[in-house]
Amino acid sequence: MSHSRHDADDDVASLACWLRFALTEGVGSDSGRRLLAAFGLPGQVLQTGRSMLEGVVSPRVAAALCKPPTATRQAYIEATLAWSALPGHRIVTLADPAYPQALLNIPDPPLLLYVNGDASLLQTDAVAVVGSRNATAQGRAHAELFSEELSRAGLTIVSGLALGIDAAAHAGGLRGPGSTVAVIGTGIDIVYPQRNRALAQQIAERGCVVSEYPLGTPPLAANFPRRNRIISGLARAVLVVEAAAQSGSLITARMAAEQGRDVFAIPGSIHAPLAKGCHQLIRQGAKLVETTRHILEELPQLQLRMEIVKSAPEATQSCLQDIVADDAPAALVMHAMGYDPVDADTLALRCGLDAARLAALLLILEMEGRIEVLPGARYRRLS
């Protein structure tokens, strides 16, 4: 057997352990993470004795982990593995390098993410756009326009695939390079509501659909407020477009604030029921916005990208002052970039520049508005 085949078999076996572990009754995101912290990866947890497991979880959960899967459960795991092997499908585990970094920083990240589409979008800078299912025509237009403009600025739009504001936000996100991520409250193989089936297909093809729920999970009411923590968790900020005084969007906004995300709200008429929730958020400290510029001023791309520069080698930072005074290297990079998106490695080869100097140059050009950063860490000139 070749090494690649052997590695693939190991990957499937590892994923099967993750599925068996996560599907065990009583194992949730909190208890699951405690078990992983205590004993290692799921394969090791499942081989741990019951008495040791009971030091971390209840006797009932420990007993469930020690039982071999039933024939029905094993068949379900096999069916899920078969789903994950299809093109565009992926199951991202908490230990996977592809697991979104932003979710690792929330209090209760899901153990597994079922993904249909471009999983790299889960790692991009994003803004969540949420609001009422029973939105007005003006609210839907606002959601679509704001989302399109934010997507054109290179930000991914995250929402929940519901009717109304969510659907408009996804449609707008798809019209820009930032694209869109739909976080759903059912199994990844179920579209809810059915009226958004065509939209869900477009998102799977050109964006990303993601769920923490196992295949076949129906649209249970309790799952939707819970999935909101992922919508806000994936995003740098949350924009609420229209919301009644008692609204699921306010749950998302509250979770965003608890996660340290910025919250924005679009105001409306004091007589409009769907403006009540937005006005409530503004009174509680959300930032009032009238244009996408108000959001981008609070979250400029410089601020979004600065973390990369801070974590880069000191050589990158030491180049900044030198470059500001000398535009010749910047002109070289602009010429080498051309007009098609290009990654930094390709640019470095074209320019003959070392990584530190190129990274500093790219930051300067981005600050000056001469280039933009696209998903997948690719760059495109704007002038």
Side-chain angles (χ1 to χ4, degrees), residues 302-373:
L302 168 60
Q303 184 177 326
L304 295 177
R305 304 292 300 177
M306 189 57 77
E307 294 173 15
I308 296 174
V309 176
K310 285 178 179 174
S311 63
E314 290 183 9
T316 301
Q317 299 173 45
S318 70
C319 288
L320 288 172
Q321 293 301 321
D322 298 355
I323 290 169
V324 171
D326 180 7
D327 195 51
L332 171 67
V333 171
M334 291 291 283
H335 178 74
M337 190 172 289
Y339 289 90
D340 293 322
V342 62
D343 61 87
D345 289 342
T346 303
L347 259 183
L349 288 172
R350 290 179 185 173
C351 299
L353 294 171
D354 63 74
R357 190 164 179 79
L358 178 62
L361 275 164
L362 290 170
L363 176 65
I364 293 293
L365 291 169
E366 187 182 352
M367 289 165 60
E368 293 176 349
R370 295 163 71 183
I371 66 170
E372 64 178 346
V373 186

Side-chain angles (χ1 to χ4, degrees), residues 57-73:
V57 292
S58 70
R60 181 179 61 83
V61 176
L65 284 165
C66 290
K67 288 179 184 172
T70 63
T72 302
R73 176 56 53 83

Side-chain angles (χ1 to χ4, degrees), residues 173-353:
L174 285 171
R175 285 206 288 274
S179 194
T180 190
V181 171
V183 184
I184 61 176
T186 64
I188 194 87
D189 55 333
I190 292 176
V191 176
Y192 178 84
Q194 277 290 314
R195 280 166 58 185
N196 280 345
R197 175 168 288 280
L199 176 61
Q201 183 63 34
Q202 288 179 356
I203 297 171
E205 290 171 357
R206 295 159 47 206
C208 174
V209 182
V210 62
S211 173
E212 68 177 311
Y213 296 108
L215 298 188
T217 302
L220 304 173
N223 289 352
F224 290 90
R226 180 158 175 75
R227 66 91 199 259
N228 289 352
R229 81 191 193 288
I230 300 178
I231 293 176
S232 57
L234 285 171
R236 296 275 183 158
V238 172
L239 171 65
V240 182
V241 178
E242 279 186 337
Q246 303 294 326
S247 164
S249 302
L250 302 190
I251 297 174
T252 308
R254 175 176 56 78
M255 290 177 169
E258 290 171 354
Q259 293 165 348
R261 275 56 168 169
D262 285 290
V263 178
F264 300 99
I266 297 178
S269 165
I270 60 172
H271 305 293
L274 290 180
K276 301 286 188 192
C278 291
H279 292 172
Q280 178 182 326
L281 289 172
I282 292 168
R283 288 196 302 275
Q284 293 170 349
K287 294 166 179 139
L288 183 155
V289 296
E290 297 169 316
T291 70
T292 51
R293 180 177 294 277
H294 293 151
I295 297 173
L296 294 172
E297 284 172 352
E298 293 288 335
L299 299 171
Q301 292 224 337
L302 168 60
Q303 184 177 326
L304 295 177
R305 304 292 300 177
M306 189 57 77
E307 294 173 15
I308 296 174
V309 176
K310 285 178 179 174
S311 63
E314 290 183 9
T316 301
Q317 299 173 45
S318 70
C319 288
L320 288 172
Q321 293 301 321
D322 298 355
I323 290 169
V324 171
D326 180 7
D327 195 51
L332 171 67
V333 171
M334 291 291 283
H335 178 74
M337 190 172 289
Y339 289 90
D340 293 322
V342 62
D343 61 87
D345 289 342
T346 303
L347 259 183
L349 288 172
R350 290 179 185 173
C351 299
L353 294 171

Side-chain angles (χ1 to χ4, degrees), residues 116-134:
N116 185 3
D118 183 0
S120 71
L121 289 173
L122 301 176
Q123 303 280 15
T124 57
D125 293 318
V127 172
V129 179
V130 298
S132 174
R133 288 173 170 79
N134 303 306

Side-chain angles (χ1 to χ4, degrees), residues 122-180:
L122 301 176
Q123 303 280 15
T124 57
D125 293 318
V127 172
V129 179
V130 298
S132 174
R133 288 173 170 79
N134 303 306
T136 65
Q138 184 181 51
R140 292 194 299 273
H142 284 156
E144 195 162 335
L145 178 62
F146 271 71
S147 297
E148 179 177 352
E149 290 183 351
L150 291 168
S151 178
R152 291 194 184 285
L155 293 161
T156 300
I157 303 302
V158 182
S159 199
L161 198 65
L163 298 173
I165 296 300
D166 286 18
H170 289 307
L174 285 171
R175 285 206 288 274
S179 194
T180 190

